RNA sequence: GGACAGAUGCCGGAGUGGUUUAUCGGAGCGGUCUUGAAAACCGUCGUAGUGCAAGCUACCGAGGGUUCGAAUCCCUCUCUGUCCGCCA
């Protein structure tokens, strides 16, 4: 959520910044400003009446205690009461409309986010690693998985529906090894391991920006206002929802390994084969809460943390900075890490490391007390800045390993860094 | 799932219609005293909206209602605790 004060003060700047995204928000901002000024007018009128009422009511109390007559006061109070009722009936209309509009506005792109319309204008930061030369026909990861009997697509569908897969044998062990490797690396980088609910309520999803706009993307529990999390970003960030943190606690760096559930509404037909796009997948997520002045640095740190996983697994990847048009709803700046898939002869997203500024924190009301050395009384509550990214999506990492480490005989070499997590086993065959 | 009890500020805890700007205690912070500390004493100590400011307004789990006036009365909901049942 954007700051209404900022919108009020610099509407043109906000309009301009939002125009760098693909869509136009000029109308919404004008509507917000209109509702805002109308509402504030009513608000001050209301408060004046309330002040008057409180004063008179107190007088009534005093007079009655002294057994004096207070009819005159009661008469004016009745008039005020009617007026107040009139205004208070209007109030929810204004504030609801205001909220609805504000919740629909995406974050403004940061100064360092390149301007661009779509994916094609994303900026390549660098490529890392050596793409392997294969002197045999390269198989796709799902072909390898079926051939080795470690990915069972049909039975996964039988258990649930399409886009669910049973992962078996050494692939399942690889997943577990990946989880351990990723969590250990995150711990080395000072991210505290956390185990959180994978079901979240609507307030939590609103806090991180999935709601209200992207409701159709998550699975809802029947007859309950509860949802399967689409990413651990939701529980990790919302751990501190509605809290005021101590300045010294920041930055707070967290990591969690969780399953993630996505309805994939609107992506029918895309990546229907393989485990690239599933309704359920595992992911190690990194989340940072920090002060504004720490945010850029922490964003870089978190991204490097995610890159480290790819590097240690020796998977070729590239780092891309998203342009304004490709930026996610809540993000102000974002790096995508894309891993090389030889069968597709292209890079595919495996991690998205986003800086949100105070956008999520304003929705989720996560603040800290900024101490003022000169005048401790002037210590102010300030919104934290939030950052998150995956390190990494386990399913896609598994797919990338199967493809990049395949051998001509159909076996798969196990990356060195994972062997210690798999009883020193060197090969899947 | 059943029964009962409860939800008040950082914590404990009082408050059942108006002189309550939410009593009091503890912790924290500032000060006095002290070589320093402790003790004692004095002061301070929530969030948000609005305003240049003084101030004003709202908030006692959430939402609604009654009333000139609600932490207090009424209704609905949520959560927590205890006991019972079931259970990894």
């Amino acid at each position: 959520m954007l700051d209404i004060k900022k919108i009020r003060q610099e509407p043109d700047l906000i309009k301009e910044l939002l125009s760098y995204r693909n869509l136009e928000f000029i109308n919404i901002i004008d509507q917000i400003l209109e509702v805002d000024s109308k509402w504030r007018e009513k608000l001050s009128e209301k408060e004046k009446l309330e002040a008057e009422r409180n004063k008179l009511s107190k007088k009534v109390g005093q007079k009655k205690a002294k057994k004096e007559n207070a009819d005159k006061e009661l008469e004016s109070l009745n008039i005020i009461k009617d007026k107040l009722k009139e205004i208070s009936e209007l109030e929810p209309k204004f504030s609801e409309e205001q909220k609805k509009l504000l919740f629909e506005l995406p974050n403004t792109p940061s100064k360092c986010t390149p301007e661009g319309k779509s994916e094609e204008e994303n900026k390549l930061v660098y490529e890392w690693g050596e793409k392997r030369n294969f002197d045999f026909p390269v198989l796709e990861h799902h072909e390898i998985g079926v051939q080795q009997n470690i990915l069972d697509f049909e039975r996964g569908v039988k258990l649930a529906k399409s886009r669910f897969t049973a992962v078996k044998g050494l692939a399942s062990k690889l997943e577990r090894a990946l989880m351990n490797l990723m969590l250990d690396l995150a711990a080395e980088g000072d991210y505290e391991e956390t185990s959180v609910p994978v079901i979240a309520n609507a307030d939590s999803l609103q806090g991180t920006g999935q709601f209200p706009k992207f409701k159709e993307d998550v699975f809802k529990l029947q007859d309950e206002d509860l949802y399967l999390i689409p990413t651990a970003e939701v529980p990790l960030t919302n751990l501190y929802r509605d809290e005021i943190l101590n300045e010294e606690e920041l930055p707070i760096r967290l990591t969690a390994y969780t399953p993630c559930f996505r309805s994939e509404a609107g992506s029918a037909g895309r990546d229907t084969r393989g485990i690239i796009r599933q309704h359920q997948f595992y992911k190690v997520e990194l989340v940072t809460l920090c002060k504004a002045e720490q945010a850029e640095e922490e964003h870089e740190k978190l991204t490097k943390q995610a890159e480290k996983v790819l590097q240690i697994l020796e998977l070729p990847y590239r780092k891309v900075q998203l342009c304004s048009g490709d930026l996610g709803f809540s993000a102000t700046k974002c790096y995508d890490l894309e891993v090389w898939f030889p069968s597709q002869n292209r890079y595919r997203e495996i991690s998205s490391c986003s800086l949100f500024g105070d956008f999520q924190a304003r929705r989720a009301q996560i603040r800290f007390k900024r101490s003022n050395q000169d005048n401790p009384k002037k210590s102010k509550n300030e919104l934290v800045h939030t950052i998150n990214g995956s390190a990494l999506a386990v399913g896609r990492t598994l797919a990338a390993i199967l493809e990049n480490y395949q051998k001509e005989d159909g076996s798969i070499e196990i990356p060195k860094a994972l062997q210690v997590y798999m009883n020193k086993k060197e090969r899947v065959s």
Side-chain angles (χ1 to χ4, degrees), chain A residues 10-22:
Chain A
E10 305 175 286
D12 293 332
L13 176 68
I14 302 287
K15 282 179 190 172
E16 189 196 326
L17 288 172
L18 285 180
S19 75
Y20 296 141
R21 288 179 174 270
N22 245 342

Side-chain angles (χ1 to χ4, degrees), chain A residues 6 35 48 68 91 93 123 139 143 223 284 291 329 347 354 401:
Chain A
K6 251 202 190 127
V35 173
K48 269 182 208 150
E68 288 174 30
E91 195 182 325
K93 215 182 82 192
K123 198 174 99 194
L139 295 180
E143 296 175 308
D223 301 329
V284 170
K291 301 193 254 182
F329 180 80
Y347 289 101
S354 308
I401 289 173

Side-chain angles (χ1 to χ4, degrees), chain A residues 182-197 208 231-241 243 245 249-258 283-290 298 301-303 305-306 353-354 360 366 384-392:
Chain A
M182 291 176 190
L183 285 174
D184 285 348
L185 287 173
E188 271 172 40
D190 258 340
Y191 292 82
E192 188 184 8
E193 189 174 334
T194 317
S195 184
V196 286
T208 27
T231 157
E233 161 194 355
V234 175
L236 286 180
T237 308
N238 279 286
L239 275 175
Y240 299 101
R241 176 156 45 84
E243 291 194 30
L245 303 162
E249 292 179 69
L250 301 173
I252 294 174
R253 304 191 191 93
L254 301 167
T255 183
Y257 172 82
T258 67
K283 187 154 68 66
V284 170
E285 185 75 1
L286 306 173
V287 165
T288 305
L289 309 182
C290 64
E298 287 293 329
K301 175 183 161 69
L302 185 142
T303 309
Q305 186 65 41
C353 300
S354 308
Q360 288 183 326
I366 308 171
V384 303
H385 282 218
T386 59
I387 299 154
N388 74 48
S390 23
L392 303 161

Side-chain angles (χ1 to χ4, degrees), chain A residues 198-261:
Chain A
V198 299
I199 291 172
N201 57 29
D203 284 345
S204 297
L205 286 150
Q206 173 124 286
T208 27
Q210 282 79 14
F211 281 12
K213 250 202 140 169
F214 305 99
K215 238 178 170 153
E216 63 286 353
D217 292 341
V218 302
F219 287 109
K220 182 181 187 303
L221 267 61
Q222 184 144 37
D223 301 329
E224 301 238 39
D225 194 22
L226 292 170
Y227 307 82
L228 299 178
I229 58 167
T231 157
E233 161 194 355
V234 175
L236 286 180
T237 308
N238 279 286
L239 275 175
Y240 299 101
R241 176 156 45 84
D242 296 323
E243 291 194 30
I244 297 165
L245 303 162
N246 291 324
E247 188 172 8
E248 311 83 62
E249 292 179 69
L250 301 173
I252 294 174
R253 304 191 191 93
L254 301 167
T255 183
Y257 172 82
T258 67
C260 303
F261 303 91

Side-chain angles (χ1 to χ4, degrees), chain A residues 262-294:
Chain A
R262 299 191 180 174
S263 73
E264 294 297 340
S267 50
R270 281 167 68 195
D271 301 308
T272 48
R273 304 177 69 186
I275 57 170
I276 298 275
R277 194 174 297 276
Q278 298 275 287
H279 287 309
Q280 175 186 337
F281 60 96
Y282 295 93
K283 187 154 68 66
V284 170
E285 185 75 1
L286 306 173
V287 165
T288 305
L289 309 182
C290 64
K291 301 193 254 182
E293 65 270 26
Q294 301 167 324

